[in-house]
Amino acid sequence: MSHVIENKKKLVSRIRRIKGQLEAVERSLEADADCFAVLQTLSACRGGLNGLMGELVEGHITEHVMQNARSPKSSQDKAALELIKVMKTYWK
Amino acid sequence: MSHVIENKKKLVSRIRRIKGQLEAVERSLEADADCFAVLQTLSACRGGLNGLMGELVEGHITEHVMQNARSPKSSQDKAALELIKVMKTYWK
Amino acid sequence: MSHVIENKKKLVSRIRRIKGQLEAVERSLEADADCFAVLQTLSACRGGLNGLMGELVEGHITEHVMQNARSPKSSQDKAALELIKVMKTYWK
Amino acid sequence: MSHVIENKKKLVSRIRRIKGQLEAVERSLEADADCFAVLQTLSACRGGLNGLMGELVEGHITEHVMQNARSPKSSQDKAALELIKVMKTYWK
């Protein structure tokens, strides 16, 4: 999973941020905090998770599905780059 | 776009069904119909569009991104099939 | 459905735009056009539908769920405005 | 936030499950594990978060937006129940 190795630190820190948000939601629930604040934090969590998912799917396509992502010549590789463009609308 | 040619009739009829739902929403708005009925039809429309999008993306992967979808031996083709499995969670 | 009556013209034109995009997809499929172009148009369609859904849900909340959207004093109305803020993350 | 107090234990355990899934993703990334396994766990995480968000939004509507969720007579409360039905399509 070379696409992970290269930016592992960045990916792990994104996961920790989402985990931190979840822990904030847990504390709010335990403290019967304001419902709206909980919903806002959870929404941010959801956005973070969507973005992380998008980045990992993109990495899966470039590193594992494509034949040569650094110099995409084949019709398959060009179609894979098109796929990434279309999928971005799902995790913006 | 052979994946389209094969089941063109089916895809076109799905589009026409979604279009019919949109026309129903248009008529409801014109007639100041019940808001809830409009929202329900629009939700059905959204579900139909998501499903159609999923089918076309899957076809794009098997027909254009993969080297040999009918007999997937390469690591790239296996990774492409994994991608389809993961993406299904987006258009169920 | 006063929230519709007021901006009916705008809502109907949004629906017609989405319908136009769907018709373009239908023509592309019939003409075995480029798969990527079809996927891009369908993505735009999906975005338009999501936005339209968001606007109608928001109108449903302000016009039918709230007691007084023009001067929201009650705790229920304030909670409804919070709900709209949280829901916006679903149709951006 | 009475809707939380009543089923706090259940909500907190759902959060902990999602957190556990995130921790599994973190360990997999650290160990350069299989990309597909990471994507599957993240998808499960996303599904869990969507479901949790849906439950909390529903609770926000019944407990804070509605006047009397236990005996919904007003047109506002009926419109709120309609809203819940429409929104369910977003977090299934």
Side-chain angles (χ1 to χ4, degrees), chain D residues 42-59:
Chain D
L42 216 51
S43 282
C45 218
R46 197 174 148 261
L49 196 61
N50 255 345
L52 178 63
M53 185 81 186
E55 182 157 336
L56 283 173
V57 168
E58 219 171 300

PDB file of all heavy atoms in Angstrom, chain D residues 42-59:
ATOM      1  N   LEU D  42     -13.438   1.240   6.936  1.00  0.00           N
ATOM      2  CA  LEU D  42     -13.821   2.662   6.897  1.00  0.00           C
ATOM      3  C   LEU D  42     -15.262   2.816   6.398  1.00  0.00           C
ATOM      4  O   LEU D  42     -16.025   3.645   6.889  1.00  0.00           O
ATOM      5  CB  LEU D  42     -12.839   3.398   5.986  1.00  0.00           C
ATOM      6  CG  LEU D  42     -12.452   4.820   6.373  1.00  0.00           C
ATOM      7  CD1 LEU D  42     -12.000   4.900   7.827  1.00  0.00           C
ATOM      8  CD2 LEU D  42     -11.356   5.355   5.456  1.00  0.00           C
ATOM      9  N   SER D  43     -15.654   1.968   5.455  1.00  0.00           N
ATOM     10  CA  SER D  43     -17.043   2.002   4.967  1.00  0.00           C
ATOM     11  C   SER D  43     -18.011   1.644   6.088  1.00  0.00           C
ATOM     12  O   SER D  43     -19.055   2.282   6.251  1.00  0.00           O
ATOM     13  CB  SER D  43     -17.248   0.974   3.841  1.00  0.00           C
ATOM     14  OG  SER D  43     -16.742   1.446   2.641  1.00  0.00           O
ATOM     15  N   ALA D  44     -17.638   0.645   6.875  1.00  0.00           N
ATOM     16  CA  ALA D  44     -18.498   0.238   8.000  1.00  0.00           C
ATOM     17  C   ALA D  44     -18.610   1.380   9.002  1.00  0.00           C
ATOM     18  O   ALA D  44     -19.685   1.692   9.517  1.00  0.00           O
ATOM     19  CB  ALA D  44     -17.919  -1.011   8.672  1.00  0.00           C
ATOM     20  N   CYS D  45     -17.491   2.046   9.218  1.00  0.00           N
ATOM     21  CA  CYS D  45     -17.424   3.213  10.112  1.00  0.00           C
ATOM     22  C   CYS D  45     -18.371   4.306   9.624  1.00  0.00           C
ATOM     23  O   CYS D  45     -19.149   4.879  10.376  1.00  0.00           O
ATOM     24  CB  CYS D  45     -15.995   3.721   9.997  1.00  0.00           C
ATOM     25  SG  CYS D  45     -15.298   4.310  11.484  1.00  0.00           S
ATOM     26  N   ARG D  46     -18.342   4.538   8.344  1.00  0.00           N
ATOM     27  CA  ARG D  46     -19.160   5.584   7.724  1.00  0.00           C
ATOM     28  C   ARG D  46     -20.644   5.244   7.874  1.00  0.00           C
ATOM     29  O   ARG D  46     -21.479   6.089   8.184  1.00  0.00           O
ATOM     30  CB  ARG D  46     -18.784   5.656   6.235  1.00  0.00           C
ATOM     31  CG  ARG D  46     -19.204   6.899   5.528  1.00  0.00           C
ATOM     32  CD  ARG D  46     -18.635   6.916   4.092  1.00  0.00           C
ATOM     33  NE  ARG D  46     -19.580   7.627   3.250  1.00  0.00           N
ATOM     34  CZ  ARG D  46     -20.479   7.039   2.463  1.00  0.00           C
ATOM     35  NH1 ARG D  46     -20.547   5.718   2.375  1.00  0.00           N
ATOM     36  NH2 ARG D  46     -21.341   7.750   1.765  1.00  0.00           N
ATOM     37  N   GLY D  47     -20.957   3.964   7.676  1.00  0.00           N
ATOM     38  CA  GLY D  47     -22.347   3.531   7.851  1.00  0.00           C
ATOM     39  C   GLY D  47     -22.810   3.723   9.289  1.00  0.00           C
ATOM     40  O   GLY D  47     -23.905   4.217   9.542  1.00  0.00           O
ATOM     41  N   GLY D  48     -21.939   3.358  10.232  1.00  0.00           N
ATOM     42  CA  GLY D  48     -22.280   3.514  11.649  1.00  0.00           C
ATOM     43  C   GLY D  48     -22.495   4.963  12.021  1.00  0.00           C
ATOM     44  O   GLY D  48     -23.441   5.329  12.736  1.00  0.00           O
ATOM     45  N   LEU D  49     -21.648   5.830  11.500  1.00  0.00           N
ATOM     46  CA  LEU D  49     -21.748   7.266  11.809  1.00  0.00           C
ATOM     47  C   LEU D  49     -23.026   7.854  11.207  1.00  0.00           C
ATOM     48  O   LEU D  49     -23.737   8.630  11.845  1.00  0.00           O
ATOM     49  CB  LEU D  49     -20.515   7.967  11.239  1.00  0.00           C
ATOM     50  CG  LEU D  49     -20.220   9.369  11.765  1.00  0.00           C
ATOM     51  CD1 LEU D  49     -19.969   9.338  13.275  1.00  0.00           C
ATOM     52  CD2 LEU D  49     -18.996   9.953  11.063  1.00  0.00           C
ATOM     53  N   ASN D  50     -23.353   7.434   9.984  1.00  0.00           N
ATOM     54  CA  ASN D  50     -24.587   7.901   9.344  1.00  0.00           C
ATOM     55  C   ASN D  50     -25.818   7.500  10.160  1.00  0.00           C
ATOM     56  O   ASN D  50     -26.721   8.297  10.395  1.00  0.00           O
ATOM     57  CB  ASN D  50     -24.717   7.294   7.926  1.00  0.00           C
ATOM     58  CG  ASN D  50     -24.396   8.321   6.855  1.00  0.00           C
ATOM     59  OD1 ASN D  50     -24.351   9.525   7.122  1.00  0.00           O
ATOM     60  ND2 ASN D  50     -24.125   7.859   5.656  1.00  0.00           N
ATOM     61  N   GLY D  51     -25.803   6.252  10.620  1.00  0.00           N
ATOM     62  CA  GLY D  51     -26.939   5.765  11.409  1.00  0.00           C
ATOM     63  C   GLY D  51     -27.071   6.521  12.728  1.00  0.00           C
ATOM     64  O   GLY D  51     -28.165   6.906  13.139  1.00  0.00           O
ATOM     65  N   LEU D  52     -25.925   6.764  13.363  1.00  0.00           N
ATOM     66  CA  LEU D  52     -25.913   7.487  14.645  1.00  0.00           C
ATOM     67  C   LEU D  52     -26.433   8.911  14.442  1.00  0.00           C
ATOM     68  O   LEU D  52     -27.256   9.411  15.201  1.00  0.00           O
ATOM     69  CB  LEU D  52     -24.486   7.511  15.197  1.00  0.00           C
ATOM     70  CG  LEU D  52     -24.271   8.259  16.516  1.00  0.00           C
ATOM     71  CD1 LEU D  52     -25.055   7.600  17.654  1.00  0.00           C
ATOM     72  CD2 LEU D  52     -22.782   8.314  16.867  1.00  0.00           C
ATOM     73  N   MET D  53     -25.968   9.531  13.366  1.00  0.00           N
ATOM     74  CA  MET D  53     -26.400  10.907  13.044  1.00  0.00           C
ATOM     75  C   MET D  53     -27.914  10.923  12.845  1.00  0.00           C
ATOM     76  O   MET D  53     -28.613  11.789  13.377  1.00  0.00           O
ATOM     77  CB  MET D  53     -25.683  11.337  11.747  1.00  0.00           C
ATOM     78  CG  MET D  53     -25.913  12.746  11.331  1.00  0.00           C
ATOM     79  SD  MET D  53     -24.850  13.887  12.248  1.00  0.00           S
ATOM     80  CE  MET D  53     -25.524  15.444  11.643  1.00  0.00           C
ATOM     81  N   GLY D  54     -28.411   9.931  12.125  1.00  0.00           N
ATOM     82  CA  GLY D  54     -29.860   9.868  11.875  1.00  0.00           C
ATOM     83  C   GLY D  54     -30.640   9.764  13.174  1.00  0.00           C
ATOM     84  O   GLY D  54     -31.647  10.465  13.380  1.00  0.00           O
ATOM     85  N   GLU D  55     -30.160   8.912  14.077  1.00  0.00           N
ATOM     86  CA  GLU D  55     -30.878   8.725  15.345  1.00  0.00           C
ATOM     87  C   GLU D  55     -30.890  10.020  16.167  1.00  0.00           C
ATOM     88  O   GLU D  55     -31.908  10.407  16.734  1.00  0.00           O
ATOM     89  CB  GLU D  55     -30.245   7.588  16.145  1.00  0.00           C
ATOM     90  CG  GLU D  55     -30.982   7.319  17.449  1.00  0.00           C
ATOM     91  CD  GLU D  55     -30.768   5.924  17.991  1.00  0.00           C
ATOM     92  OE1 GLU D  55     -30.445   5.000  17.215  1.00  0.00           O
ATOM     93  OE2 GLU D  55     -30.916   5.757  19.218  1.00  0.00           O
ATOM     94  N   LEU D  56     -29.760  10.710  16.189  1.00  0.00           N
ATOM     95  CA  LEU D  56     -29.695  11.941  16.999  1.00  0.00           C
ATOM     96  C   LEU D  56     -30.523  13.066  16.367  1.00  0.00           C
ATOM     97  O   LEU D  56     -31.162  13.849  17.067  1.00  0.00           O
ATOM     98  CB  LEU D  56     -28.242  12.374  17.184  1.00  0.00           C
ATOM     99  CG  LEU D  56     -27.464  11.550  18.223  1.00  0.00           C
ATOM    100  CD1 LEU D  56     -25.991  11.934  18.233  1.00  0.00           C
ATOM    101  CD2 LEU D  56     -28.058  11.735  19.621  1.00  0.00           C
ATOM    102  N   VAL D  57     -30.543  13.134  15.025  1.00  0.00           N
ATOM    103  CA  VAL D  57     -31.368  14.166  14.368  1.00  0.00           C
ATOM    104  C   VAL D  57     -32.848  13.882  14.653  1.00  0.00           C
ATOM    105  O   VAL D  57     -33.622  14.781  14.984  1.00  0.00           O
ATOM    106  CB  VAL D  57     -31.103  14.220  12.847  1.00  0.00           C
ATOM    107  CG1 VAL D  57     -32.164  15.072  12.146  1.00  0.00           C
ATOM    108  CG2 VAL D  57     -29.719  14.794  12.568  1.00  0.00           C
ATOM    109  N   GLU D  58     -33.204  12.616  14.567  1.00  0.00           N
ATOM    110  CA  GLU D  58     -34.599  12.244  14.842  1.00  0.00           C
ATOM    111  C   GLU D  58     -34.981  12.622  16.272  1.00  0.00           C
ATOM    112  O   GLU D  58     -36.039  13.195  16.518  1.00  0.00           O
ATOM    113  CB  GLU D  58     -34.751  10.739  14.636  1.00  0.00           C
ATOM    114  CG  GLU D  58     -36.053  10.354  13.991  1.00  0.00           C
ATOM    115  CD  GLU D  58     -36.119   8.885  13.586  1.00  0.00           C
ATOM    116  OE1 GLU D  58     -35.299   8.447  12.775  1.00  0.00           O
ATOM    117  OE2 GLU D  58     -37.009   8.191  14.119  1.00  0.00           O
ATOM    118  N   GLY D  59     -34.063  12.343  17.211  1.00  0.00           N
ATOM    119  CA  GLY D  59     -34.322  12.696  18.614  1.00  0.00           C
ATOM    120  C   GLY D  59     -34.433  14.198  18.786  1.00  0.00           C
ATOM    121  O   GLY D  59     -35.276  14.707  19.526  1.00  0.00           O
TER     122      GLY D  59
END
